[in-house]
Amino acid sequence: MTIHPQTIQIFLPSGDPQGIREATLITRTIRTIEIPRSRLDTFLRMSESSQVGIYFLFGENDQTGQPRAYIGQTGNLGTRLKQHNEKKDFWNRAIVALSLTHSLTVAHAHFLEWLAIKKTTEAERYELDNQTLGTYPHTPAPMEAECREIFETIDTLLTTLGFPLFAPPIKTTHIFSEPTENIYSIEEKDLSNTFYCRTNGVDGQARYTEEGLVILKGSFGRLQPCDGFSRHNTGYVAKRQALIDQGILKPDADRLVFTKDMVFKSPSPAAVFLLGRAANGWTEWKDAQGRTLADVMKRNENSKDRNE
């Protein structure tokens, strides 16, 4: 997605910020409509429901809490969403993308669906509920160029609405080196804003972003939690096992290795996953100078002022 100043208009047809929301870039002809599952009947009565378009279903994995999505295209958005309402359980919100000028064709929608699935798979941010990833559809060069411009608009609107489907969890480039003599390593090209959680059997590296703490692929923690921790933290144990089952965490000898970048909304669960014990992430994560995340983010400034 190209970053530059843009003006986005969000319209609330019912006036309810939690209801249906329509978003447009004022200079583009693509509109997205966000539909809570509970308001699907309202969308089905809208004229836009009969249009050609691409659509996205959003929810989460019940076991791990990881965000989940399904991507599709159709010649009739209302009919397809009604089918998914009957057959798919995981989703709670849908977003449809359509043309204000009714210029999208099924050929456009096929290419956009393929490209959206491809970009989502590469970003590794959402679990995809799609059973197949599809194949590149033969598309004339002028239409493909048009579709890629449309896709950029959809990307911007989805992200603005809170669904950064195509964005990797972290934008900086890092390289995960495959194990040599059972040692994993991460080569950072940019060490600014990097935090570390390191102790015996633990080597975690992370970046603090707008969405939370992102543990970098290749970080590893303890395979076995500390004595007593598992018995009193069954939710943590279940979530960790689910991530192992999905291959996000890979057991290796006496350690658990992150096979992909993973976002934690709070730094404490990120530290707990690595250390296998109760932990305060604000103090466990430290930068290259040894400053805690709390100090870097100036969380302690007020308390220091009160003590002086």
Side-chain angles (χ1 to χ4, degrees), residues 116-136:
I117 292 174
K118 177 176 180 291
K119 294 295 186 181
T120 301
T121 303
E122 291 172 353
E124 296 186 322
R125 178 184 285 270
Y126 283 72
E127 295 178 9
L128 265 180
D129 191 63
N130 296 68
Q131 298 301 309
T132 61
L133 301 183
T135 56
Y136 174 79

Side-chain angles (χ1 to χ4, degrees), residues 7-187:
T7 300
I8 295 174
Q9 182 182 68
I10 296 180
F11 174 60
L12 309 176
S14 68
D16 181 1
Q18 296 299 316
I20 290 177
R21 298 192 295 173
E22 302 179 11
T24 54
L25 279 165
I26 62 173
T27 58
R28 306 289 179 88
T29 61
I30 296 298
R31 169 192 294 169
T32 59
I33 303 176
E34 180 184 355
I35 309 149
R37 192 166 186 166
S38 61
R39 306 288 180 90
L40 181 58
D41 285 346
T42 301
F43 174 70
L44 295 178
R45 292 193 295 269
M46 296 170 61
S47 60
E48 289 88 346
S49 67
S50 63
Q51 288 192 34
V52 175
I54 179 174
Y55 63 90
F56 308 86
L57 307 179
F58 293 101
E60 65 178 32
N61 184 312
D62 290 337
Q63 291 184 322
T64 66
Q66 289 294 104
R68 196 172 194 180
Y70 179 88
I71 301 169
Q73 58 77 33
T74 178
N76 188 300
L77 288 163
T79 298
R80 186 58 56 84
L81 290 186
K82 189 176 179 181
Q83 293 171 348
H84 288 317
N85 187 46
E86 296 168 356
K87 297 180 180 180
K88 288 190 178 296
D89 295 330
F90 80 92
W91 66 281
N92 51 52
R93 301 187 89 81
I95 294 183
V96 302
L98 46 85
S99 170
L100 292 168
T101 58
H102 298 260
S103 58
L104 280 185
T105 67
V106 173
H108 287 99
H110 272 291
F111 185 88
L112 288 168
E113 176 193 42
W114 168 81
L115 184 57
I117 292 174
K118 177 176 180 291
K119 294 295 186 181
T120 301
T121 303
E122 291 172 353
E124 296 186 322
R125 178 184 285 270
Y126 283 72
E127 295 178 9
L128 265 180
D129 191 63
N130 296 68
Q131 298 301 309
T132 61
L133 301 183
T135 56
Y136 174 79
H138 174 71
T139 308
M143 179 178 286
E144 178 172 336
E146 181 183 3
C147 284
R148 290 188 181 276
E149 184 174 337
I150 291 171
F151 179 82
E152 184 173 307
T153 300
I154 294 173
D155 185 6
T156 299
L157 294 175
L158 284 178
T159 302
T160 300
L161 292 172
F163 301 93
L165 189 60
F166 313 122
I170 196 162
K171 299 180 179 68
T172 55
T173 302
H174 64 276
I175 301 171
F176 171 58
S177 302
E178 291 298 332
T180 302
E181 298 180 355
N182 208 34
I183 297 176
Y184 289 80
S185 64
I186 301 173
E187 178 187 345

Side-chain angles (χ1 to χ4, degrees), residues 208 211-213 263-270 282:
Y208 194 61
E211 297 177 76
L213 198 77
V263 180
F264 289 83
K265 295 187 182 299
S266 169
S268 290
W282 291 101

